[in-house]
Short mmCIF file of all heavy atoms in Angstrom, two decimals:
data_model
loop_
_atom_site.label_atom_id
_atom_site.label_comp_id
_atom_site.label_asym_id
_atom_site.label_seq_id
_atom_site.Cartn_x
_atom_site.Cartn_y
_atom_site.Cartn_z
N LYS A 10 1.81 -39.27 -26.71
CA LYS A 10 1.70 -40.70 -26.94
C LYS A 10 3.04 -41.40 -27.02
O LYS A 10 3.18 -42.54 -26.58
CB LYS A 10 0.87 -40.97 -28.20
CG LYS A 10 -0.55 -40.51 -28.06
CD LYS A 10 -1.32 -40.67 -29.35
CE LYS A 10 -2.69 -40.02 -29.22
NZ LYS A 10 -3.44 -40.09 -30.47
N HIS A 11 4.05 -40.71 -27.54
CA HIS A 11 5.37 -41.33 -27.67
C HIS A 11 6.05 -41.55 -26.31
O HIS A 11 7.04 -42.25 -26.22
CB HIS A 11 6.26 -40.52 -28.61
CG HIS A 11 6.53 -39.13 -28.15
ND1 HIS A 11 5.61 -38.11 -28.28
CD2 HIS A 11 7.61 -38.58 -27.55
CE1 HIS A 11 6.11 -37.00 -27.78
NE2 HIS A 11 7.33 -37.25 -27.33
N PHE A 12 5.50 -40.97 -25.24
CA PHE A 12 6.05 -41.19 -23.90
C PHE A 12 5.44 -42.41 -23.22
O PHE A 12 5.91 -42.83 -22.16
CB PHE A 12 5.82 -39.96 -23.00
CG PHE A 12 6.63 -38.77 -23.42
CD1 PHE A 12 6.01 -37.65 -23.93
CD2 PHE A 12 8.02 -38.76 -23.29
CE1 PHE A 12 6.74 -36.54 -24.31
CE2 PHE A 12 8.76 -37.66 -23.68
CZ PHE A 12 8.12 -36.54 -24.19
N LEU A 13 4.39 -42.97 -23.79
CA LEU A 13 3.72 -44.13 -23.21
C LEU A 13 4.48 -45.40 -23.56
O LEU A 13 5.03 -45.51 -24.66
CB LEU A 13 2.28 -44.22 -23.71
CG LEU A 13 1.39 -43.02 -23.39
CD1 LEU A 13 0.02 -43.18 -24.07
CD2 LEU A 13 1.23 -42.84 -21.90
N PRO A 14 4.51 -46.37 -22.66
CA PRO A 14 5.23 -47.61 -22.96
C PRO A 14 4.52 -48.38 -24.09
O PRO A 14 3.30 -48.54 -24.08
CB PRO A 14 5.17 -48.38 -21.65
CG PRO A 14 4.00 -47.81 -20.91
CD PRO A 14 3.87 -46.40 -21.35
N VAL A 15 5.29 -48.82 -25.06
CA VAL A 15 4.72 -49.51 -26.23
C VAL A 15 4.38 -50.96 -25.94
O VAL A 15 3.59 -51.56 -26.67
CB VAL A 15 5.66 -49.41 -27.46
CG1 VAL A 15 5.79 -47.98 -27.91
CG2 VAL A 15 7.01 -50.03 -27.17
N ASP A 16 4.96 -51.52 -24.90
CA ASP A 16 4.75 -52.95 -24.63
C ASP A 16 3.63 -53.21 -23.62
O ASP A 16 3.53 -54.30 -23.07
CB ASP A 16 6.05 -53.58 -24.14
CG ASP A 16 6.56 -52.97 -22.84
OD1 ASP A 16 6.22 -51.81 -22.54
OD2 ASP A 16 7.30 -53.67 -22.12
N PHE A 17 2.74 -52.23 -23.41
CA PHE A 17 1.60 -52.42 -22.51
C PHE A 17 0.35 -52.70 -23.34
O PHE A 17 0.14 -52.10 -24.39
CB PHE A 17 1.37 -51.16 -21.67
CG PHE A 17 2.22 -51.08 -20.43
CD1 PHE A 17 3.61 -51.18 -20.51
CD2 PHE A 17 1.65 -50.88 -19.19
CE1 PHE A 17 4.39 -51.09 -19.37
CE2 PHE A 17 2.42 -50.80 -18.04
CZ PHE A 17 3.80 -50.91 -18.13
N SER A 18 -0.49 -53.57 -22.83
CA SER A 18 -1.74 -53.91 -23.50
C SER A 18 -2.64 -52.69 -23.63
O SER A 18 -2.62 -51.79 -22.77
CB SER A 18 -2.45 -54.98 -22.65
OG SER A 18 -3.81 -55.09 -23.02
N ALA A 19 -3.46 -52.67 -24.68
CA ALA A 19 -4.43 -51.58 -24.87
C ALA A 19 -5.43 -51.53 -23.72
O ALA A 19 -5.99 -50.49 -23.41
CB ALA A 19 -5.17 -51.76 -26.20
N SER A 20 -5.63 -52.67 -23.06
CA SER A 20 -6.57 -52.73 -21.94
C SER A 20 -5.92 -52.42 -20.59
O SER A 20 -6.59 -52.51 -19.55
CB SER A 20 -7.24 -54.11 -21.88
OG SER A 20 -6.27 -55.11 -21.61
N SER A 21 -4.66 -52.04 -20.59
CA SER A 21 -3.98 -51.69 -19.34
C SER A 21 -4.78 -50.63 -18.59
O SER A 21 -5.32 -49.70 -19.20
CB SER A 21 -2.57 -51.15 -19.62
OG SER A 21 -1.77 -52.15 -20.18
N ARG A 22 -4.85 -50.79 -17.28
CA ARG A 22 -5.60 -49.83 -16.45
C ARG A 22 -4.83 -48.52 -16.32
O ARG A 22 -3.60 -48.52 -16.22
CB ARG A 22 -5.88 -50.41 -15.07
CG ARG A 22 -6.98 -51.46 -15.14
CD ARG A 22 -7.34 -52.05 -13.82
NE ARG A 22 -7.83 -51.07 -12.88
CZ ARG A 22 -8.08 -51.35 -11.60
NH1 ARG A 22 -7.85 -52.56 -11.12
NH2 ARG A 22 -8.53 -50.43 -10.79
N VAL A 23 -5.57 -47.43 -16.30
CA VAL A 23 -5.00 -46.10 -16.22
C VAL A 23 -5.65 -45.32 -15.10
O VAL A 23 -6.86 -45.38 -14.90
CB VAL A 23 -5.21 -45.34 -17.55
CG1 VAL A 23 -4.79 -43.88 -17.44
CG2 VAL A 23 -4.47 -46.02 -18.69
N TRP A 24 -4.80 -44.58 -14.37
CA TRP A 24 -5.26 -43.63 -13.37
C TRP A 24 -4.59 -42.30 -13.67
O TRP A 24 -3.37 -42.25 -13.87
CB TRP A 24 -4.88 -44.06 -11.96
CG TRP A 24 -5.51 -45.34 -11.52
CD1 TRP A 24 -6.68 -45.49 -10.82
CD2 TRP A 24 -4.99 -46.67 -11.70
NE1 TRP A 24 -6.92 -46.81 -10.59
CE2 TRP A 24 -5.90 -47.57 -11.12
CE3 TRP A 24 -3.85 -47.18 -12.33
CZ2 TRP A 24 -5.70 -48.93 -11.12
CZ3 TRP A 24 -3.65 -48.55 -12.35
CH2 TRP A 24 -4.57 -49.41 -11.74
N ILE A 25 -5.39 -41.24 -13.72
CA ILE A 25 -4.85 -39.91 -13.99
C ILE A 25 -5.14 -39.03 -12.78
O ILE A 25 -6.28 -38.93 -12.33
CB ILE A 25 -5.47 -39.28 -15.25
CG1 ILE A 25 -5.18 -40.16 -16.47
CG2 ILE A 25 -4.94 -37.85 -15.45
CD1 ILE A 25 -5.85 -39.69 -17.74
N TYR A 26 -4.08 -38.41 -12.28
CA TYR A 26 -4.20 -37.49 -11.15
C TYR A 26 -3.75 -36.11 -11.61
O TYR A 26 -2.62 -35.93 -12.04
CB TYR A 26 -3.33 -37.96 -9.97
CG TYR A 26 -3.76 -39.30 -9.44
CD1 TYR A 26 -3.18 -40.48 -9.89
CD2 TYR A 26 -4.78 -39.38 -8.48
CE1 TYR A 26 -3.59 -41.71 -9.41
CE2 TYR A 26 -5.19 -40.61 -8.00
CZ TYR A 26 -4.60 -41.77 -8.47
OH TYR A 26 -5.01 -42.99 -7.99
N GLN A 27 -4.66 -35.17 -11.53
CA GLN A 27 -4.41 -33.80 -11.98
C GLN A 27 -4.04 -32.94 -10.79
O GLN A 27 -4.78 -32.86 -9.81
CB GLN A 27 -5.69 -33.28 -12.64
CG GLN A 27 -5.67 -31.84 -13.04
CD GLN A 27 -7.02 -31.46 -13.62
OE1 GLN A 27 -7.41 -31.98 -14.66
NE2 GLN A 27 -7.73 -30.58 -12.94
N SER A 28 -2.91 -32.28 -10.88
CA SER A 28 -2.44 -31.42 -9.80
C SER A 28 -3.15 -30.07 -9.86
O SER A 28 -3.51 -29.58 -10.93
CB SER A 28 -0.93 -31.21 -9.92
OG SER A 28 -0.49 -30.29 -8.96
N SER A 29 -3.31 -29.47 -8.71
CA SER A 29 -3.94 -28.15 -8.60
C SER A 29 -3.04 -27.04 -9.14
O SER A 29 -3.47 -25.89 -9.26
CB SER A 29 -4.32 -27.86 -7.15
OG SER A 29 -3.19 -27.99 -6.30
N ARG A 30 -1.81 -27.39 -9.47
CA ARG A 30 -0.87 -26.43 -10.06
C ARG A 30 0.22 -27.20 -10.78
O ARG A 30 0.39 -28.41 -10.58
CB ARG A 30 -0.25 -25.52 -9.00
CG ARG A 30 0.62 -26.27 -7.99
CD ARG A 30 1.43 -25.34 -7.10
NE ARG A 30 2.14 -26.06 -6.08
CZ ARG A 30 3.28 -26.72 -6.26
NH1 ARG A 30 3.86 -26.75 -7.45
NH2 ARG A 30 3.87 -27.35 -5.26
N SER A 31 0.97 -26.49 -11.61
CA SER A 31 2.12 -27.11 -12.27
C SER A 31 3.24 -27.33 -11.25
O SER A 31 3.39 -26.54 -10.32
CB SER A 31 2.65 -26.20 -13.38
OG SER A 31 1.73 -26.12 -14.42
N PHE A 32 4.01 -28.38 -11.45
CA PHE A 32 5.17 -28.64 -10.61
C PHE A 32 6.37 -27.86 -11.15
O PHE A 32 6.52 -27.70 -12.36
CB PHE A 32 5.49 -30.13 -10.56
CG PHE A 32 4.47 -30.94 -9.81
CD1 PHE A 32 3.46 -31.61 -10.48
CD2 PHE A 32 4.53 -31.03 -8.43
CE1 PHE A 32 2.51 -32.35 -9.79
CE2 PHE A 32 3.59 -31.77 -7.73
CZ PHE A 32 2.58 -32.43 -8.41
N SER A 33 7.21 -27.40 -10.25
CA SER A 33 8.43 -26.69 -10.65
C SER A 33 9.46 -27.68 -11.17
O SER A 33 9.34 -28.89 -10.97
CB SER A 33 9.01 -25.92 -9.45
OG SER A 33 9.56 -26.84 -8.51
N THR A 34 10.50 -27.17 -11.79
CA THR A 34 11.57 -28.01 -12.32
C THR A 34 12.21 -28.83 -11.21
O THR A 34 12.45 -30.04 -11.38
CB THR A 34 12.63 -27.14 -13.02
OG1 THR A 34 11.98 -26.36 -14.03
CG2 THR A 34 13.72 -27.99 -13.65
N GLU A 35 12.45 -28.21 -10.07
CA GLU A 35 13.05 -28.93 -8.94
C GLU A 35 12.09 -30.02 -8.43
O GLU A 35 12.52 -31.15 -8.15
CB GLU A 35 13.38 -27.95 -7.80
CG GLU A 35 14.07 -28.63 -6.63
CD GLU A 35 14.43 -27.63 -5.54
OE1 GLU A 35 14.77 -26.47 -5.87
OE2 GLU A 35 14.37 -28.03 -4.37
N GLU A 36 10.81 -29.70 -8.33
CA GLU A 36 9.83 -30.68 -7.87
C GLU A 36 9.72 -31.85 -8.84
O GLU A 36 9.58 -33.01 -8.42
CB GLU A 36 8.45 -30.02 -7.70
CG GLU A 36 8.37 -29.06 -6.54
CD GLU A 36 7.07 -28.28 -6.51
OE1 GLU A 36 6.51 -27.97 -7.60
OE2 GLU A 36 6.61 -27.97 -5.39
N ILE A 37 9.82 -31.56 -10.12
CA ILE A 37 9.73 -32.61 -11.13
C ILE A 37 10.86 -33.63 -10.96
O ILE A 37 10.63 -34.83 -11.08
CB ILE A 37 9.72 -32.00 -12.55
CG1 ILE A 37 8.41 -31.25 -12.78
CG2 ILE A 37 9.93 -33.07 -13.62
CD1 ILE A 37 8.38 -30.39 -14.02
N SER A 38 12.03 -33.16 -10.63
CA SER A 38 13.16 -34.08 -10.39
C SER A 38 12.85 -35.02 -9.22
O SER A 38 13.11 -36.22 -9.31
CB SER A 38 14.44 -33.29 -10.07
OG SER A 38 14.82 -32.53 -11.18
N HIS A 39 12.30 -34.47 -8.15
CA HIS A 39 11.93 -35.30 -6.99
C HIS A 39 10.78 -36.25 -7.33
O HIS A 39 10.78 -37.41 -6.92
CB HIS A 39 11.54 -34.42 -5.80
CG HIS A 39 12.68 -33.63 -5.23
ND1 HIS A 39 13.73 -34.20 -4.55
CD2 HIS A 39 12.93 -32.30 -5.26
CE1 HIS A 39 14.58 -33.27 -4.17
NE2 HIS A 39 14.12 -32.10 -4.59
N LEU A 40 9.81 -35.75 -8.09
CA LEU A 40 8.67 -36.59 -8.49
C LEU A 40 9.13 -37.78 -9.31
O LEU A 40 8.63 -38.89 -9.12
CB LEU A 40 7.68 -35.78 -9.31
CG LEU A 40 6.57 -35.08 -8.55
CD1 LEU A 40 5.78 -34.17 -9.48
CD2 LEU A 40 5.65 -36.08 -7.88
N LYS A 41 10.04 -37.55 -10.23
CA LYS A 41 10.53 -38.64 -11.08
C LYS A 41 11.10 -39.76 -10.23
O LYS A 41 10.81 -40.93 -10.48
CB LYS A 41 11.56 -38.12 -12.08
CG LYS A 41 12.16 -39.23 -12.92
CD LYS A 41 12.43 -38.81 -14.32
CE LYS A 41 13.03 -39.90 -15.17
NZ LYS A 41 12.34 -41.16 -15.22
N VAL A 42 11.87 -39.40 -9.22
CA VAL A 42 12.44 -40.41 -8.33
C VAL A 42 11.33 -41.16 -7.60
O VAL A 42 11.34 -42.39 -7.53
CB VAL A 42 13.44 -39.76 -7.34
CG1 VAL A 42 13.87 -40.74 -6.26
CG2 VAL A 42 14.65 -39.20 -8.08
N LEU A 43 10.37 -40.43 -7.04
CA LEU A 43 9.26 -41.07 -6.31
C LEU A 43 8.47 -42.02 -7.22
O LEU A 43 8.14 -43.14 -6.82
CB LEU A 43 8.31 -40.01 -5.75
CG LEU A 43 8.78 -39.18 -4.58
CD1 LEU A 43 7.78 -38.06 -4.28
CD2 LEU A 43 8.95 -40.07 -3.35
N LEU A 44 8.17 -41.57 -8.43
CA LEU A 44 7.39 -42.39 -9.36
C LEU A 44 8.18 -43.63 -9.80
O LEU A 44 7.62 -44.73 -9.84
CB LEU A 44 6.95 -41.57 -10.56
CG LEU A 44 5.97 -40.42 -10.26
CD1 LEU A 44 5.74 -39.58 -11.51
CD2 LEU A 44 4.67 -40.93 -9.68
N ASP A 45 9.46 -43.46 -10.09
CA ASP A 45 10.29 -44.60 -10.49
C ASP A 45 10.41 -45.62 -9.37
O ASP A 45 10.32 -46.83 -9.60
CB ASP A 45 11.68 -44.13 -10.94
CG ASP A 45 11.67 -43.40 -12.28
OD1 ASP A 45 10.65 -43.44 -12.99
OD2 ASP A 45 12.70 -42.77 -12.60
N GLU A 46 10.62 -45.13 -8.13
CA GLU A 46 10.72 -46.04 -6.98
C GLU A 46 9.41 -46.77 -6.76
O GLU A 46 9.40 -47.97 -6.46
CB GLU A 46 11.11 -45.26 -5.72
CG GLU A 46 12.55 -44.82 -5.70
CD GLU A 46 12.90 -43.95 -4.49
OE1 GLU A 46 11.99 -43.58 -3.71
OE2 GLU A 46 14.09 -43.64 -4.34
N PHE A 47 8.30 -46.06 -6.92
CA PHE A 47 7.00 -46.71 -6.73
C PHE A 47 6.80 -47.84 -7.73
O PHE A 47 6.46 -48.96 -7.36
CB PHE A 47 5.85 -45.70 -6.86
CG PHE A 47 4.51 -46.37 -6.84
CD1 PHE A 47 3.99 -46.84 -5.64
CD2 PHE A 47 3.80 -46.57 -8.01
CE1 PHE A 47 2.76 -47.50 -5.61
CE2 PHE A 47 2.58 -47.22 -8.00
CZ PHE A 47 2.06 -47.69 -6.80
N VAL A 48 7.02 -47.56 -9.01
CA VAL A 48 6.82 -48.58 -10.04
C VAL A 48 7.76 -49.77 -9.82
O VAL A 48 7.35 -50.92 -9.97
CB VAL A 48 6.99 -47.97 -11.45
CG1 VAL A 48 7.04 -49.05 -12.52
CG2 VAL A 48 5.85 -47.00 -11.75
N ALA A 49 8.99 -49.50 -9.43
CA ALA A 49 9.95 -50.58 -9.21
C ALA A 49 9.51 -51.50 -8.07
O ALA A 49 9.81 -52.71 -8.11
CB ALA A 49 11.34 -49.99 -8.91
N GLY A 50 8.78 -50.98 -7.11
CA GLY A 50 8.35 -51.79 -5.97
C GLY A 50 6.87 -52.12 -5.95
O GLY A 50 6.37 -52.71 -4.99
N TRP A 51 6.14 -51.78 -7.01
CA TRP A 51 4.68 -51.98 -7.05
C TRP A 51 4.37 -53.46 -7.15
O TRP A 51 4.83 -54.14 -8.06
CB TRP A 51 4.11 -51.23 -8.23
CG TRP A 51 2.63 -50.94 -8.18
CD1 TRP A 51 1.77 -51.19 -7.15
CD2 TRP A 51 1.85 -50.34 -9.22
NE1 TRP A 51 0.51 -50.78 -7.48
CE2 TRP A 51 0.52 -50.24 -8.75
CE3 TRP A 51 2.15 -49.88 -10.49
CZ2 TRP A 51 -0.51 -49.70 -9.51
CZ3 TRP A 51 1.13 -49.33 -11.25
CH2 TRP A 51 -0.18 -49.25 -10.77
N LYS A 52 3.62 -53.97 -6.19
CA LYS A 52 3.30 -55.40 -6.15
C LYS A 52 1.81 -55.61 -5.92
O LYS A 52 1.14 -54.78 -5.33
CB LYS A 52 4.09 -56.10 -5.05
CG LYS A 52 5.59 -56.10 -5.27
CD LYS A 52 6.27 -57.02 -4.29
CE LYS A 52 7.76 -57.01 -4.35
NZ LYS A 52 8.43 -56.86 -5.58
N SER A 53 1.34 -56.75 -6.41
CA SER A 53 -0.02 -57.19 -6.16
C SER A 53 0.08 -58.59 -5.57
O SER A 53 0.53 -59.52 -6.25
CB SER A 53 -0.82 -57.21 -7.47
OG SER A 53 -2.13 -57.68 -7.23
#
Side-chain angles (χ1 to χ4, degrees):
K10 296 175 187 177
H11 61 283
F12 291 112
L13 300 174
V15 295
D16 61 336
F17 276 55
S18 163
S20 64
S21 295
R22 285 182 61 187
V23 172
W24 296 267
I25 300 175
Y26 297 94
Q27 174 182 296
S28 175
S29 55
R30 64 170 175 80
S31 292
F32 291 97
S33 71
T34 304
E35 183 178 326
E36 290 172 327
I37 291 169
S38 296
H39 293 290
L40 269 172
K41 176 144 180 53
V42 171
L43 288 172
L44 295 173
D45 289 348
E46 287 175 353
F47 173 76
V48 169
W51 199 5
K52 295 191 185 325
S53 178

